[in-house]
Amino acid sequence: MVNKKLALLGATGSIGSSTLEVATEQQIPITLASAHRDYPKLLEAAIKHKIPCVVLTGISEPSLQVRLRRENPQLRIYFGESELLKALQEEDYDIALNAITGSAGLRSTFAILNRGKTLALANKESLVMAGHLVREYTSDSPIIPVDSEHSAIFQAIGAHPASEIRKLHITASGGAFRELPLQDFNKITPAEALKHPNWSMGAKVTLDSATMFNKALEVIEAHWLFGLPYSQIEAVIHPQSVIHSLVEFIDGSFLAQMSVPDMKLPILYALSWPSRVPSALVKTSLLELPVLSFQAIESQRYPLFYLGLEAAKTGGIHPTVMNAAVEAASSLFLKGLIPFTDISGIVRKALDWQTPLTFPDLDTIIEVNLRVFQKVISQSL
Ligand code: MG
């Protein structure tokens, strides 16, 4: 049993649903939950988990707001991002799990850190876009990774200092198209890109794993979480997704963390840390595991991975530009407006629009993110 009060942001998405399962098993009290617009699912969770306060950040219609409040008098219901930020300042919780998708999760991360609360972070973009700002908080507010790869590294590092690490090896499933012949990439449909071979996840992250852009984001995440230079962080394809990442120490030893792929395990660890608690949610049988293998990431198959690494190394505002361009190009592809193979070209072009900024503040990051997103969308329509 985990004895902490939880604030769960992004409660209706894939990570949110898995977190609710973990909360049920571990009897974790949830004091605050948020979602974008999926009010039926959020209200159902609020009733089932006895959550006293919920925020719907994407509902702005006054008539709907009035109706939801009237129909749920036992709940405190708030609307809009500013109300969520206020709730994060005022409500009672010990740990907040930020599972908001994309750049929309950025301000919440800082609201949690500003209050000095423990942050279980599933929102990659907070570190990708604003890692340099997040780093300034890590001494007083612990950040526990929820992403499976970073949870694996976090577990394997234990108390070892960065000076004892030679390399971090982040594993990648290879996504939906790891075996598709390269000449067939221009025929990929949105439905095909949204089928992940190993993990069941939200649309954004599933498409990002098909392009391997996700792995570039995770390299940036690892850089900020563990304080290591990019030269010490590598990614490798591991199609079975059993080893969730590895740490190579300076003496030549590797420590890896493994289990069948299921997000409930890294979520549980983020919530129970620094302890481990008994759980029956994820069970791995060694004799039933497939043969484990590793292979290099081909640059022709995954151009967005290498483009992402370049933007990471340039740093400053570049990861934000790249991320916004990928979000926009991905949404164009998912709507059937551009072919899959156009995504990387659009992103490469967008990276040339922005002059370098080495230490952008939060408002600049959010402004550039929106501007690049809208420019990509309008130029392609
Ligand atoms: Mg991951």
Side-chain angles (χ1 to χ4, degrees), residues 81 85 103-108 110 129-130 133 317 320 324 360-374:
E81 189 190 33
L85 300 178
S103 49
L106 215 51
R107 287 199 194 272
S108 294
F110 287 95
M129 299 165 70
L133 301 175
I317 198 70
T320 295
D361 61 22
L362 190 57
D363 288 335
T364 307
I365 290 169
I366 288 171
E367 182 268 314
V368 169
N369 177 62
L370 195 66
R371 181 157 45 79
V372 172
F373 184 91
Q374 286 169 343

Side-chain angles (χ1 to χ4, degrees), residues 20 24 27 30 56 64 101 137 144 256 278 284 343 366 369:
L20 291 173
T24 302
Q27 299 170 38
I30 304 174
L56 285 149
L64 183 54
T101 301
Y137 288 89
I144 321 295
T284 303
I343 299 176
I366 288 171
N369 177 62

